[in-house]
Amino acid sequence: MTPLDLRSIPLADTRALRREVLRPYMTVDELAEHEPSDAVAFGVFQDDELIAVGLVGPEGEKLGDWRIRGMATAAPARGHGAGTKVLQALVQHATDNGATRVWCNARTPALSLYERAGFVATSDEFETPRIGPHYRMELRTPAGG
């Protein structure tokens, strides 16, 4: 198996995969409208093909809150560590930039990915229209105690 190559990438480079995996009912332009302007993106490539992406940026109820969003892994690449690599990079970036808490709305099928990274569910399962069931997940960083 070819090694997984993690890179920081422009937000625009995440949109096709995010649309395919997460929101096929939206256009790429509509996806762009919902991106925070200060978000940072990471992607994992295998043989120069982008197979997993995610975004992170400051967002939340308190100073120091950072939100992960747009985590998407191409179906054939699931279960091989690409999503884990992206998630680790997003958490590390947030932590390096002062995050005290990192949170996300995780799709129910992806719950174990976040739990393995130390996130805990802080809500009951809830339904997001047109997307499906989710849990709010949170991770306290070393700076957050």
Side-chain angles (χ1 to χ4, degrees), residues 115-133:
E115 290 173 334
R116 285 190 311 269
F119 283 75
V120 295
T122 60
S123 75
D124 291 331
E125 187 177 59
F126 62 92
E127 187 79 20
T128 301
R130 298 179 74 183
I131 300 173

Side-chain angles (χ1 to χ4, degrees), residues 33 42 57 60-61 74 110 138:
E33 291 172 13
F42 289 89
E61 297 135 17
E138 295 182 6

Side-chain angles (χ1 to χ4, degrees), residues 15-90:
R15 294 177 189 143
L17 183 57
R18 288 174 35 229
R19 180 179 182 277
E20 174 189 329
V21 173
L22 302 173
R23 300 178 194 261
Y25 57 87
M26 293 178 89
T27 67
V28 170
D29 290 339
E30 288 171 326
L31 276 175
E33 291 172 13
H34 295 280
E35 294 168 354
S37 60
D38 54 358
V40 172
F42 289 89
V44 167
F45 294 79
Q46 188 169 42
D47 295 326
D48 289 324
E49 179 184 352
L50 184 60
I51 60 168
V53 297
L55 317 176
V56 69
E59 181 181 338
E61 297 135 17
K62 299 177 184 170
L63 185 64
D65 285 355
W66 281 60
R67 181 179 181 185
I68 290 175
R69 56 172 62 223
M71 288 284 299
T73 301
R78 292 183 192 143
H80 299 286
T84 298
K85 281 184 83 96
V86 170
L87 183 57
Q88 289 170 341
L90 297 171

Side-chain angles (χ1 to χ4, degrees), residues 72-122:
T73 301
R78 292 183 192 143
H80 299 286
T84 298
K85 281 184 83 96
V86 170
L87 183 57
Q88 289 170 341
L90 297 171
V91 169
Q92 188 64 56
H93 178 82
T95 301
D96 289 350
N97 286 278
T100 55
R101 179 174 59 167
V102 180
W103 68 280
C104 67
N105 290 329
R107 289 177 182 230
T108 299
L111 208 58
S112 65
L113 168 74
Y114 294 96
E115 290 173 334
R116 285 190 311 269
F119 283 75
V120 295
T122 60

